[in-house]
């Protein structure tokens, strides 16, 4: 999705209540242009649909920006630059709006890195790629959720929980482990989608749903351990 389309989607509402950006994954190295047909991009379609259903009637814009390149690309941190530029454009065009970032894998890493942008109010990382040494100070004052599957063989759940412990030094972090969840979020897919949907609702001050997922998402995790779902 082009930046122009996202800006148009926001502008078509007379009074936009907020923005949710659903961010796809990628590779550690990939200088090639990202394609709308790559699996990491298509994987976010059902997540986006679930979030839109949860926010129906709320005047919240939910879109899937596509990064320019397939990879993180070392110190370039390509998707972080793309995301920061996009947030700057939204701020310039529409002023202060609550923006919620929901990212998967590389997209989660980019979302967490960009969380310090003044437009961002909340960020969720789904099966995030969080190698040791990732910064956490930018998360101060943001609602943060990290969810990881116990059967992920691509990105390390242990790295995610270690990141969460460090991040709790600057603010509360909710953490959810998906039993037998895989990296692609295909196993137990509905649970992954529900987590994303509930997180966006509570982050935008909408009433949460009922059940274990809603309870896990709304927890104050400042001193809590993992919630198992």
């Amino acid at each position: 999705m082009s930046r122009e389309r996202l800006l148009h989607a926001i502008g078509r509402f007379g009074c936009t209540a907020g923005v949710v950006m659903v961010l796809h994954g990628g590779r550690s190295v990939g200088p090639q242009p990202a394609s709308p047909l790559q699996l990491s991009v298509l994987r976010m379609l059902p997540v986006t649909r679930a979030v839109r259903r949860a926010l129906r009637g709320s005047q919240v814009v939910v879109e899937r920006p596509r990064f320019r390149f397939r990879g993180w690309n070392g110190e370039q941190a390509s998707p972080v630059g793309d995301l920061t530029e996009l947030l700057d454009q939204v701020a310039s065009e529409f002023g202060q709006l609550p923006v919620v970032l929901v990212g998967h894998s590389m997209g989660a890493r980019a979302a967490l890195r960009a969380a310090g942008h003044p437009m961002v109010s909340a960020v969720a990382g789904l099966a995030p790629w969080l190698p040791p040494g990732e910064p956490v100070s930018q998360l101060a004052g943001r609602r943060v959720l990290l969810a990881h599957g116990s059967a992920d063989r691509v990105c390390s759940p242990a790295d995610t929980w270690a990141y969460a412990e460090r991040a709790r030094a600057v603010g509360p972090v909710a953490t959810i482990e998906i039993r037998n969840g895989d990296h692609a979020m295909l196993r137990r897919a509905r649970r992954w989608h529900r987590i994303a949907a509930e997180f966006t609702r509570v982050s935008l001050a909408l009433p949460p749903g009922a059940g274990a997922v809603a309870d896990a998402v709304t927890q104050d995790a400042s001193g809590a351990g993992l919630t198992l779902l």
Side-chain angles (χ1 to χ4, degrees):
M1 188 198 72
S2 70
R3 288 163 171 73
E4 291 73 21
R5 177 178 161 184
L6 175 60
L7 296 174
H8 175 74
I10 298 170
R12 73 173 179 256
F13 286 118
C15 182
T16 302
V19 179
V20 178
M21 298 184 190
V22 182
L23 307 168
H24 63 85
R27 304 171 179 172
S28 58
V29 178
Q32 309 88 349
S35 163
L37 298 179
Q38 69 191 54
L39 291 178
S40 59
V41 174
L42 295 175
R43 190 169 291 131
M44 305 315 288
L45 280 167
V47 177
T48 305
R49 284 195 294 265
V51 172
R52 282 183 176 146
R53 283 195 300 270
L55 300 177
R56 189 177 292 135
S58 65
Q59 293 291 82
V60 173
V61 175
V62 183
E63 293 289 353
R64 293 183 303 120
R66 190 169 69 251
F67 298 126
R68 289 189 178 101
F69 304 106
R70 290 179 181 239
W72 183 266
N73 301 321
E75 292 184 0
Q76 294 180 34
S78 299
V80 180
D82 288 348
L83 185 52
T84 301
E85 181 181 327
L86 183 53
L87 289 164
D88 286 344
Q89 289 179 339
V90 172
S92 176
E93 292 278 345
F94 303 102
Q96 191 64 38
L97 291 170
V99 175
V100 179
L101 305 177
V102 178
H104 171 244
S105 191
M106 182 188 77
R109 186 180 181 185
L112 290 159
R113 280 273 193 107
H117 194 284
M119 295 290 287
V120 177
S121 59
V123 56
L126 308 178
W129 173 33
L130 295 171
E134 279 295 294
V136 297
S137 60
Q138 75 280 3
L139 302 177
R142 275 63 178 170
R143 178 184 287 272
V144 181
L145 168 70
L146 300 174
H148 216 128
S150 62
D152 193 330
R153 299 294 178 263
V154 177
C155 291
S156 166
D159 284 349
T160 295
W161 311 141
Y163 178 93
E165 284 304 306
R166 290 192 296 112
R168 286 184 176 124
V170 300
V173 180
T175 50
I176 299 174
E177 182 177 74
I178 310 299
R179 293 185 182 93
N180 300 314
D182 61 338
H183 186 69
M185 304 188 298
L186 298 176
R187 198 178 303 155
R188 308 193 72 195
R190 290 184 180 179
R191 181 133 293 184
W192 287 105
H193 303 165
R194 179 81 188 281
I195 288 169
E198 287 292 340
F199 179 77
T200 56
R201 285 187 63 83
V202 300
S203 297
L204 293 163
L206 296 170
V213 171
D215 291 344
V217 167
T218 56
Q219 69 173 311
D220 177 356
S222 55
L226 282 176
T227 297
L228 303 178
L229 292 176

